[in-house]
Amino acid sequence: MNMSAANESYNANSGQRTTPVRSPIDAASLSSWMALQTALVDLFFGGIRWAPETFDGNWLQSRLEIDQFGFGQSNPTYLLAIRGISSRKIPGDDQSKDHVVKLVLRRKPYQIAHPTSHAIHREYRVLESLMNYNRQLQNEKEVLESSEVEKAVPIPTPYAYCKDTSVIGAEFYIMEFVEGRIFV
């Protein structure tokens, strides 16, 4: 696992500058948790289930790079880059090592001023609700006029939410990384 700004120049060019991690997270614990999340396993391997001895937290951690976005978030936000993941390759296959899956992790700060501030669970629920709305529009595409389908809300796909603070020390969720500029 690499906690460096390896992607800094790439992200700076695309308006998504990252820095070395300023507020560390437990990568081993995070990787173990991620390996158990159905939506993430489906993303990594296209719905193919692997035996635990083939795909686990250690395997995932060895391919995980973590950077932190450089500015503007009251909830710390991280870029997770997982190298060597491909839906057509078996874990450990050297031919898949160039493929990178990028995700975003948002978590509550370790110290908060008030229990109701930094409502990560609400952010996740809003994303999930909008995703369900978009899916409903897509499912009704044949019935609706094309102008109705264009009412879909462009959002990153939310993959997993964790309220268990023992995993990385705070509540967090993981969503799709979307190329673009960050406005603060």
Side-chain angles (χ1 to χ4, degrees), residues 11-33:
N11 292 322
N13 292 334
S14 66
Q16 297 173 332
R17 189 178 65 81
T18 59
T19 66
V21 175
R22 299 174 308 281
S23 185
I25 57 177
D26 183 342
S29 183
L30 174 63
S31 297
S32 294
W33 179 86

Side-chain angles (χ1 to χ4, degrees), residues 62-80:
S62 70
R63 288 156 175 78
L64 178 65
E65 292 181 13
I66 302 174
D67 288 313
Q68 192 167 354
F69 286 99
F71 50 85
Q73 300 89 11
S74 60
N75 293 316
T77 306
Y78 302 83
L79 175 63
L80 308 178

